[in-house]
Amino acid sequence: MHTDEFEISLHRELKVCENTIQRIKKTLGLMEQKHHKTTEAFIEEYRSGKLADDTENADDYRVWEDSCESLRKWQDLERQYRVQFVKMKI
């Protein structure tokens, strides 16, 4: 059994997730434009060590990788909230 308060709180948390995911995606898009490659291509190159010698962009690369990891975590959290929201509606 759930209460309206629980539903309101869950809805609010979903909104936080959605907004955060959009901000992270915007950051990723800016990095893609700046470095002329997709995030997928960047991750592959970064993790394989191909970008290790590029010290000029090292800070950008750390931010880019951290943003990718944050996006994954926020998307996982959003999925968990949506599952709970669906269960609550049953």
Side-chain angles (χ1 to χ4, degrees):
M1 181 173 180
H2 78 279
T3 64
D4 287 337
E5 268 184 56
F6 182 71
E7 187 171 340
I8 290 167
S9 294
L10 186 56
H11 186 359
R12 184 176 48 241
E13 293 302 317
L14 274 167
K15 276 300 188 194
V16 169
C17 287
E18 290 168 1
N19 291 337
T20 302
I21 288 167
Q22 288 307 312
R23 280 195 313 271
I24 294 169
K25 285 182 175 181
K26 183 177 180 181
T27 298
L28 294 175
L30 292 170
M31 294 302 241
E32 289 176 345
Q33 288 177 349
K34 181 178 180 179
H35 296 283
H36 308 289
K37 63 180 80 182
T38 65
T39 294
E40 293 78 16
F42 159 74
I43 289 296
E44 184 178 316
E45 290 176 15
Y46 187 77
R47 292 186 179 160
S48 71
K50 290 181 182 176
L51 302 175
D53 294 335
D54 187 358
T55 56
E56 182 179 323
N57 291 306
D59 289 339
D60 273 3
Y61 294 160
R62 278 191 290 281
V63 168
W64 204 347
E65 184 185 35
D66 289 346
S67 294
C68 289
E69 183 62 24
S70 292
L71 179 62
R72 186 191 61 77
K73 289 178 181 179
W74 278 100
Q75 287 173 327
D76 287 346
L77 184 59
E78 180 187 33
R79 275 190 288 278
Q80 290 172 27
Y81 284 143
R82 289 198 185 283
V83 166
Q84 291 307 313
F85 199 78
V86 168
K87 286 181 180 178
M88 187 174 56
K89 293 293 185 178
I90 295 176

